[in-house]
Amino acid sequence: MGQSVTILGIESSCDDTAAAVVRGIPGQGGGEILSSIVAGQVDLHAAFGGVVPEIAARAHAERVDICVEQALAEAGLALADVDAIAVTAGPGLIGGVMSGVMAAKGLAAGAGKPLTGINHLAGHALTPRLTDGLEFPYLMLLVSGGHCQFIAVAGPDSFHRLGGTIDDAPGEAFDKTAKLLALGYPGGPEVEREALRGDPTRFKFPRPLLDRPGCDMSFSGLKTALRRERDRIVVEKSGLPRQDRADLCAGFQAAVADVLAEKSRRACLAFQEAYDSPAPVLAVAGGVSANALIRAQLDTVAQAAGFAFLAPPLALCTDNAAMIAWAGLEQMALPDFDPHADITARPRWPLDKAAKPMLGSGKKGAKA
Ligand code: KG4
Ligand code: ZN
């Protein structure tokens, strides 16, 4: 059995500044989160209906030290007590990533600690190992404001993309929909709440790319279809009555859920074809996995395909630094791990190096 390691993690790639302390044994599933601090920025970006990169970068630079101090204090440790530091080095908004990387480099140099740069998406993808000690390989759907992809997770540094969005991420589509309907930010929870009172069958929104084979997805056309219906109603009724708005939300949400469910079904088949796992698991991460309808449909599809469905606690599905610390810990088990490797901020950093890049780059950073 290996030795227990304590890692400080730092995350600042989008609109959450976060620091966490995690303990575990490199190479072994299941970790202990000693602390996890997340300073969100929703209040700073709400007026703009989306993340403003420069505002985000400044906030990260101001808050990262404070988050680290809080994370260490809550864990009851000093910096000298941690064995290593892990920091998100990409993909994401360059200003934010640089704030975190610079802070981590300073801390590592000052305290003489090994430092490792983590791919943010690897953090999400490895979370089920931290929370549930899941064995490799498993299938992960990462579905957030900036990302949407199916990943076969075969090892700490072995990720195979089975498909992804070719334009918007679903969270981005929820946020844009909310903006079009004069709902608040972030849009996902607002649209979900409105949808509860709406009729999902009234508007026939498209289910893009379902007519094509494979697991790639598209969500930008959905937003255009919704805008068209909204404009039609506004002209017809000189405004947007509440019931119409609720029906639009319900129709939009149903379309996103149907696309994610059908593509997940195909991803399950593709995963089993490649890995033939005796106990296959479909795991989710990302803010959109908070959506009850989407969760329920994914669960149904997974079960029908003979997969267990795993959704880590929401605080670990959305951006946090515990997943970055954990990914650092997993890196330490790799034979080629170099604790002194130089780290540079990489705004674009695909998880699956062999897969060809997906199109598009959203406001929340590059889609890998
Ligand atoms: O993973 P996350 O916290 O941040 C990143 O994008 O990295 O995801 C945030 C996204 C936002 O776009 C938000 O609108 C969406 O997740 N979201 C939801 C729900 N809660 C958050 N989308 C649909 N339904 C929800 N309940
Ligand atoms: Zn994320």
Side-chain angles (χ1 to χ4, degrees):
M1 195 161 119
Q3 256 210 322
S4 174
V5 164
T6 305
I7 295 211
L8 169 68
I10 298 173
E11 155 66 34
S12 58
S13 65
C14 187
D15 59 350
D16 292 299
T17 319
V21 181
V22 169
R23 186 170 285 158
I25 299 168
Q28 206 168 292
E32 187 189 355
I33 300 172
L34 303 185
S35 64
S36 181
I37 306 293
V38 180
Q41 302 179 1
V42 165
D43 49 333
L44 299 179
H45 304 289
F48 305 96
V51 179
V52 182
E54 186 57 26
I55 294 177
R58 286 177 198 213
H60 286 307
E62 279 166 14
R63 296 172 180 187
V64 66
D65 292 1
I66 301 166
C67 287
V68 167
E69 268 176 24
Q70 283 181 357
L72 287 169
E74 219 171 83
L77 297 174
L79 185 58
D81 300 325
V82 306
D83 298 302
I85 300 172
V87 63
T88 301
L93 300 172
I94 183 70
V97 175
M98 280 175 64
S99 302
V101 167
M102 298 305 284
K105 280 189 174 182
L107 289 169
K113 301 291 176 186
L115 174 64
T116 178
I118 300 299
N119 183 309
H120 175 88
L121 303 176
H124 280 303
L126 294 169
T127 297
R129 300 252 311 146
L130 162 65
T131 56
D132 293 77
L134 212 58
E135 293 295 326
F136 298 116
Y138 54 90
L139 175 61
M140 157 70 68
L141 168 60
L142 178 53
V143 61
S144 71
H147 301 282
C148 184
Q149 47 186 311
F150 293 104
I151 305 158
V153 187
D157 199 23
S158 178
F159 305 100
H160 305 286
R161 194 185 68 212
L162 302 177
T165 181
I166 60 166
D167 42 54
D168 288 355
E172 204 174 346
F174 268 99
D175 293 338
K176 287 176 179 170
T177 292
K179 211 172 170 182
L180 283 171
L181 301 178
L183 294 167
Y185 175 82
E190 299 267 330
V191 171
E192 180 172 25
R193 203 182 46 238
E194 281 293 303
L196 282 176
R197 299 185 305 103
D199 172 6
T201 61
R202 177 174 158 202
F203 297 103
K204 302 280 176 275
F205 287 126
R207 270 64 173 160
L209 298 193
L210 286 197
D211 53 340
R212 278 195 235 160
C215 305
D216 284 348
M217 291 160 281
S218 161
F219 296 98
S220 72
L222 208 46
K223 168 198 69 201
T224 313
L226 181 124
R227 179 191 283 130
R228 216 176 292 126
E229 288 296 344
R230 180 205 65 173
D231 291 348
R232 196 183 51 74
I233 296 168
V234 168
V235 169
E236 200 179 292
K237 303 187 178 177
S238 304
L240 187 64
R242 281 209 71 185
Q243 191 55 51
D244 293 293
R245 184 163 78 172
D247 292 344
L248 285 169
C249 286
F252 166 82
Q253 182 180 257
V256 175
D258 283 354
V259 170
L260 288 172
E262 170 57 18
K263 294 291 179 169
S264 296
R265 190 187 67 77
R266 294 184 200 177
C268 286
L269 292 178
F271 176 86
Q272 275 306 64
E273 213 160 275
Y275 295 95
D276 195 19
S277 166
V281 177
L282 169 65
V284 281
V288 180
S289 66
N291 186 284
L293 179 74
I294 291 172
R295 236 176 221 239
Q297 285 192 213
L298 293 177
D299 196 353
T300 304
V301 157
Q303 288 200 34
F307 279 58
F309 178 66
L310 176 71
L314 200 59
L316 294 172
C317 280
T318 54
D319 288 351
N320 66 89
M323 69 178 189
I324 302 303
W326 174 258
L329 207 137
E330 296 256 33
Q331 295 290 318
M332 292 173 84
L334 294 171
D336 59 352
F337 174 69
D338 176 2
H340 304 294
D342 192 26
I343 297 172
T344 43
R346 295 178 63 181
R348 282 177 176 270
W349 184 1
L351 195 50
D352 180 350
K353 298 169 210 76
K356 69 176 188 330
M358 304 292 287
L359 292 173
S361 167
K363 233 184 180 180
K364 291 197 158 191
K367 295 180 190 76

